[in-house]
């Protein structure tokens, strides 16, 4: 459905037709641009928008189906940008992502939002309070959305860093590292980082292209040259996010390796203790087994002190084995 449809001239929102077709005709005749926001439109709802704005069918298909990687496509009449805003859910310590598709044309910006975690109303309100930025045209809207998305990446990265520190403390605590759920928690945390990476890493090339000509390629149509430095700032923030994500991924892999090593060491300790106790139990078992055999002619069978002597020998041997294993750290 259409969430909002507004006309902007000279950096300020102005009154105009509520129908987006009339609004588009109005700005093309009198200047300015129109910003239309949609939330999870159906194919039927989006068909009329496609005809009015002459959107490319491939971009329309991506907008309806969602589940796209961040990317930037250049078509004859518009640019198509895909962003993946990320939301951190503190109740479950989980990361979820939505999608925002942005169509940028000569006199319009069309945003298509999927998911509840990427509202654009706050971005619109903040941008309307900055007429100087809004006066740069539709490019300002694209910058504001990208900037808000990347800035929220920084917040999510900070939350994940806090969770990782707590997980690290648990793994290296005297008792916590042996918990059955520790390995599953580490694995689930790695899945959260993977979900985060799918949103941040592929966004770097599109932001570089928006920032201007250079090694990333020639300049893009429909992008105001005055806004390019702002996209470079977004690119700097995104680079910090990607560095943070790479660091988190390496750390959680190291923590998983350390946890597995701890578990292996503890299993070896347990096996040594079991082996030591088994060796100590084998000595009296062997002696008792010998004297339990039903042979008629065996030494000490009719000796009065035979039984106490055998018990004493067992006790001495057990004490000697215990001291030996204890000194070597097996017990």
């Amino acid at each position: 459905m259409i969430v909002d449809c507004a006309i902007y001239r000279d950096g300020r929102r102005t009154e105009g037709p509520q129908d987006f077709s009339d609004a588009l005709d109005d700005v093309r005749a009198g200047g300015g641009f129109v910003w239309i926001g949609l939330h999870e439109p159906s194919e039927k709802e989006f068909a009329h928008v496609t005809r009015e704005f002459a959107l490319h069918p491939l971009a329309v298909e991506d907008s309806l189906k969602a589940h796209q990687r961040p990317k930037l496509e250049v078509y004859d009449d518009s640019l198509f940008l895909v962003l993946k805003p990320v939301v951190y859910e503190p109740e479950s310590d989980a990361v979820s992502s939505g999608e925002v598709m942005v169509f940028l044309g000569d006199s319009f910006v069309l945003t298509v939002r999927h998911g509840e975690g990427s509202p654009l109303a706050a971005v619109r309100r903040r941008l309307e309070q900055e007429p100087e930025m809004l006066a740069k045209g539709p490019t300002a809207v694209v910058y504001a959305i990208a900037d808000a998305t990347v800035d929220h990446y920084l917040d999510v990265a900070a939350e994940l860093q806090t969770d990782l520190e707590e997980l690290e403390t648990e793994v290296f605590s005297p008792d916590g590292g042996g918990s059955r759920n520790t390995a599953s928690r580490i694995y689930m945390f790695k899945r959260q980082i993977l979900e985060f990476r799918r949103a941040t890493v592929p966004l770097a090339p599109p932001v570089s292209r928006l920032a201007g000509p250079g090694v990333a390629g020639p300049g893009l149509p429909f992008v105001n040259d005055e806004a390019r430095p702002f996209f470079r700032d977004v690119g700097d923030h995104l680079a910090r996010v990607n560095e943070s994500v790479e660091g988190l991924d390496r750390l959680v892999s190291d923590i998983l390796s350390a946890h597995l090593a701890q578990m292996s060491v503890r299993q070896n300790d347990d096996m040594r203790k079991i082996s030591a106790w088994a060796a100590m139990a084998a000595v009296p078992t062997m002696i008792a087994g010998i004297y339990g055999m039903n042979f008629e002619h065996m030494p000490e069978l009719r000796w009065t002190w035979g039984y106490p002597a055998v018990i004493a020998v067992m006790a001495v041997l057990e004490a000697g084995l215990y001291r030996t294993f204890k000194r070597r750290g097996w017990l």
Side-chain angles (χ1 to χ4, degrees), residues 2-329:
I2 296 179
V3 178
D4 198 355
C5 177
I7 294 175
Y8 297 91
R9 289 190 175 95
D10 299 325
R12 300 190 181 278
R13 184 167 182 159
T14 61
E15 295 294 332
Q18 295 298 317
D19 181 76
F20 64 84
S21 299
D22 296 335
L24 182 60
D25 294 337
D26 190 4
V27 296
R28 284 177 172 171
F33 70 94
V34 60
W35 179 3
I36 302 171
L38 298 94
H39 179 233
E40 297 183 354
S42 65
E43 185 174 354
K44 183 178 180 180
E45 291 172 335
F46 207 55
H48 186 39
V49 178
T50 301
R51 291 192 300 271
E52 290 295 329
F53 290 88
L55 304 179
H56 196 278
L58 293 178
V60 171
E61 181 181 1
D62 291 344
S63 299
L64 291 174
K65 292 185 177 180
H67 303 293
Q68 303 295 318
R69 287 168 54 92
K71 62 180 180 179
L72 177 64
E73 301 286 350
V74 181
Y75 298 106
D76 294 336
D77 298 320
S78 63
L79 296 181
F80 178 61
L81 175 66
V82 178
L83 302 167
K84 291 183 73 69
V86 172
V87 177
Y88 177 81
E89 300 172 359
E91 296 80 9
S92 57
D93 293 337
V95 172
S96 61
S97 61
E99 291 186 39
V100 173
M101 285 78 169
V102 183
F103 292 88
L104 174 65
D106 56 349
S107 56
F108 68 89
V109 176
L110 178 64
T111 56
V112 182
R113 180 167 61 92
H114 290 269
E116 299 298 330
S118 53
L120 299 179
V123 176
R124 188 187 288 264
R125 287 194 300 268
R126 180 170 62 86
L127 195 56
E128 288 176 353
Q129 295 174 0
E130 301 177 7
E132 293 182 0
M133 174 60 67
L134 200 54
K136 299 183 185 299
T139 307
V141 177
V142 179
Y143 158 72
I145 296 173
D147 183 58
T149 300
V150 173
D151 283 349
H152 195 60
Y153 287 164
L154 293 170
D155 297 335
V156 173
E159 294 286 352
L160 290 175
Q161 181 66 43
T162 301
D163 288 347
L164 181 60
E165 292 173 358
E166 294 175 356
L167 186 60
E168 187 176 20
T169 301
E170 176 184 341
V171 168
F172 292 105
S173 65
D175 300 325
S179 173
R180 292 182 178 180
N181 297 326
T182 301
S184 61
R185 284 195 59 197
I186 297 174
Y187 178 74
M188 291 304 299
F189 190 84
K190 195 170 181 65
R191 289 292 302 269
Q192 303 303 320
I193 295 177
L194 178 61
E195 181 71 19
F196 195 23
R197 287 185 55 154
R198 288 173 178 169
T200 64
V201 174
L203 185 58
V207 171
S208 297
R209 293 182 65 187
L210 289 167
V215 294
L220 297 172
F222 312 115
V223 177
N224 191 330
D225 291 337
E226 296 180 1
R228 296 188 189 278
F230 295 95
F231 285 111
R232 285 197 288 270
D233 181 68
V234 173
D236 291 340
H237 291 178
L238 184 60
R240 288 172 49 195
V241 171
N242 286 330
E243 289 175 0
S244 178
V245 172
E246 291 293 336
L248 289 171
D249 189 51
R250 287 194 300 269
L251 281 174
V252 75
S253 297
D254 293 342
I255 290 175
L256 180 58
S257 299
H259 172 67
L260 296 177
Q262 281 183 327
M263 296 299 294
S264 178
V265 169
R266 287 174 181 172
Q267 289 176 352
N268 290 336
D269 289 340
D270 293 340
M271 289 302 299
R272 284 190 299 180
K273 291 179 181 179
I274 294 172
S275 300
W277 286 111
M280 292 174 64
V283 172
T285 301
M286 179 188 69
I287 296 174
I290 291 174
Y291 282 92
M293 293 186 293
N294 296 321
F295 291 105
E296 181 177 355
H297 302 286
M298 291 183 66
E300 295 92 23
L301 284 180
R302 300 184 183 278
W303 183 36
T304 303
W305 298 99
Y307 178 75
V310 170
I311 296 298
V313 170
M314 289 183 181
V316 170
L317 291 175
E318 289 295 295
L321 288 173
Y322 182 82
R323 289 187 59 186
T324 301
F325 290 139
K326 191 71 173 178
R327 186 167 57 249
R328 294 184 178 181

